[in-house]
Amino acid sequence: AMRTAALARQGQLTKPPGALGKLEDLAIQLAAMQGREKPQTDNVFIGVFAGDHGVAEEGVSLFPQAVTAEMVKNFARGGAAISVLAKQINAALEVINLGTVVDTGELPGVRQYHLGKGTANFTREAAMSEEQLAAALQAGRDSAERAQQAGAQLYIGGEMGIANTTAAAALACALLDLSPMQLAGPGTGLSPAGVQHKAEVIRRALQLHAPHLSEAREILRRQGGFEIAALT
């Protein structure tokens, strides 16, 4: 009902129909989600999840895994782009470290879950144990519930983790039945040869886990990451 009302309201505003492009669709979608004709974003909550990926061992990123921990510290210091943007719009920002190879130590404003020193290399075994997957999913729920308790009108989820585009592409290949060459991209700036190597790494992983890729949760456990699971 609110979606219909929000759509009708767009037709009453002083502007050509569709003049704001996708912003109009987003406004209508948000209105429906919030159950109000005019969507509000006065109270915004941002959760950034961090975690390392064992598949980084395969040389799929230009940067070492130490960068994940450094970025967590940067979030805590307020030096990252998302930190600045959050401040600009008066949004609450929380950082959740689910498990990095390099220990960040305790940091102000960072929640530490210690699920492991990153995931396992999913070209050799499942990325996560059942226990790790459950804990990562719960971390995401916890963050969403904190946002709800804070009266947030919009929740923004983000992630940080070296090699996470390899995990994301592997998940998408399994879920969409597409080839790695269709979905593997440069990530942090790989050359065409690097992208080809990345696609080959994903192909090997898909082949290894092929008998277990019929159920979404198991695909996530085998080829995902702590932070991807938390966002899920």
Side-chain angles (χ1 to χ4, degrees):
M2 282 302 117
R3 182 181 181 84
T4 303
L7 185 60
R9 181 173 170 272
Q10 287 293 324
Q12 296 163 6
L13 299 176
T14 312
K15 61 174 179 57
L20 299 181
K22 289 189 177 181
L23 280 176
E24 292 183 16
D25 295 335
L26 287 169
I28 293 165
Q29 183 183 5
L30 189 56
M33 288 176 171
Q34 292 182 346
R36 64 180 73 202
E37 186 179 328
K38 292 171 69 175
Q40 294 182 0
T41 55
D42 299 317
N43 190 342
V44 177
F45 191 101
I46 304 170
V48 179
F49 301 91
D52 270 314
H53 293 259
V55 73
E57 296 171 357
E58 304 298 319
V60 291
S61 174
L62 288 181
F63 295 97
Q65 287 184 300
V67 170
T68 307
E70 288 305 312
M71 278 304 300
V72 170
K73 294 175 186 175
N74 200 19
F75 293 138
R77 287 193 300 264
I82 190 62
S83 311
V84 177
L85 290 168
K87 196 173 178 182
Q88 274 298 110
I89 63 169
N90 254 351
L93 171 66
E94 71 168 21
V95 181
I96 303 99
N97 183 1
L98 299 163
T100 49
V101 171
V102 177
D103 184 11
T104 63
E106 294 301 315
L107 295 166
V110 178
R111 294 177 182 271
Q112 306 280 359
Y113 272 76
H114 304 296
L115 302 188
K117 288 184 175 291
T119 56
N121 183 343
F122 64 69
T123 65
R124 300 175 194 164
E125 58 187 300
M128 290 173 273
S129 66
E130 278 290 348
E131 293 73 22
Q132 286 174 321
L133 174 61
L137 288 166
Q138 187 61 50
R141 282 191 204 96
D142 292 345
S143 182
E145 284 176 3
R146 284 190 293 273
Q148 191 176 41
Q149 287 161 9
Q153 297 160 323
L154 177 67
Y155 181 91
I156 299 173
E159 44 62 46
M160 172 62 209
I162 293 298
N164 58 10
T165 61
T166 302
L171 289 172
C173 284
L175 291 166
L176 303 174
D177 196 24
L178 294 172
S179 77
M181 278 310 294
Q182 286 174 281
L183 294 180
T188 49
L190 292 172
S191 66
V195 174
Q196 195 161 355
H197 169 67
K198 183 175 177 178
E200 173 57 23
V201 168
I202 295 168
R203 187 197 65 76
R204 290 192 348 246
L206 291 167
Q207 192 172 33
L208 175 70
H209 300 292
H212 311 281
L213 299 182
S214 59
E215 198 267 319
R217 184 188 173 103
E218 188 63 4
I219 293 171
L220 179 60
R221 185 179 81 83
R222 287 177 172 271
Q223 299 188 158
F226 295 152
E227 83 288 31
I228 296 173
L231 285 171
T232 304

